[in-house]
Amino acid sequence: MHRIHIQHVPLQPTYHAKQKLNTKVTTTKTNTFQDHLQMATNTQELKISKHANDRLAERNIQITQEEWQVVTDKVFEARSKGVNQPLVLMDQAALIVSAKNATVITAMERTEAKNQLFTNIDGTIVL
């Protein structure tokens, strides 16, 4: 009888050759995903939907930059506490905000808001 010999051959050859590179490598700092995520979460700015922008213009509601900053800070504070859709009551306006999307959904004058029933909100911010 004949003997059969089986020899195992690796699928990919292994190389043990050492190469020295004499080239200088310059590194530039690139932003990592963590850096981008940090920058994105640090920028706290409310967007205004087209609908809300139209309502602000129709009702001639003027909100100063300082007031927007207070609203923005309070909305992000509410979001950190689990509020997704707060009603923001200001002296001159009432705003419905999506804290999750950081977007003002709609706006109305404060006097107009007196007789309204607000649904689908889970928090209120009184300024």
Side-chain angles (χ1 to χ4, degrees):
M1 281 207 138
H2 293 82
R3 286 190 125 172
I4 299 175
H5 294 279
I6 299 175
Q7 183 177 5
H8 293 281
V9 178
L11 293 177
Q12 294 188 6
T14 55
Y15 295 101
H16 297 288
K18 291 184 181 179
Q19 296 178 352
K20 283 192 174 182
L21 296 176
N22 291 331
T23 60
K24 218 180 229 189
V25 178
T26 58
T27 59
T28 58
K29 181 168 177 14
T30 58
N31 289 341
T32 64
F33 176 76
Q34 184 68 29
D35 294 336
H36 287 290
L37 181 63
Q38 188 68 28
M39 286 188 305
T41 56
N42 282 345
T43 54
Q44 296 183 345
E45 184 177 306
L46 283 181
K47 297 173 282 205
I48 302 174
S49 70
K50 183 179 182 326
H51 174 79
N53 197 35
D54 293 345
R55 296 298 166 266
L56 289 168
E58 281 175 10
R59 295 168 175 137
N60 198 23
I61 300 171
Q62 302 295 321
I63 301 175
T64 66
Q65 187 64 32
E66 292 80 22
E67 291 172 323
W68 274 118
Q69 189 58 51
V70 171
V71 170
T72 300
D73 293 343
K74 290 298 182 181
V75 166
F76 280 95
E77 180 182 341
R79 184 171 81 173
S80 72
K81 295 182 180 193
V83 176
N84 292 319
Q85 197 154 329
L87 166 67
V88 179
L89 295 174
M90 304 172 68
D91 289 337
Q92 74 277 23
L95 310 171
I96 301 289
V97 181
S98 170
K100 179 180 176 184
N101 299 327
T103 304
V104 178
I105 298 171
T106 193
M108 65 186 70
E109 291 178 329
R110 180 71 185 257
T111 55
E112 185 184 358
K114 280 185 179 179
N115 297 323
Q116 296 294 322
L117 175 67
F118 296 97
T119 59
N120 296 330
I121 62 168
D122 59 355
T124 303
I125 300 170
V126 181
L127 302 176

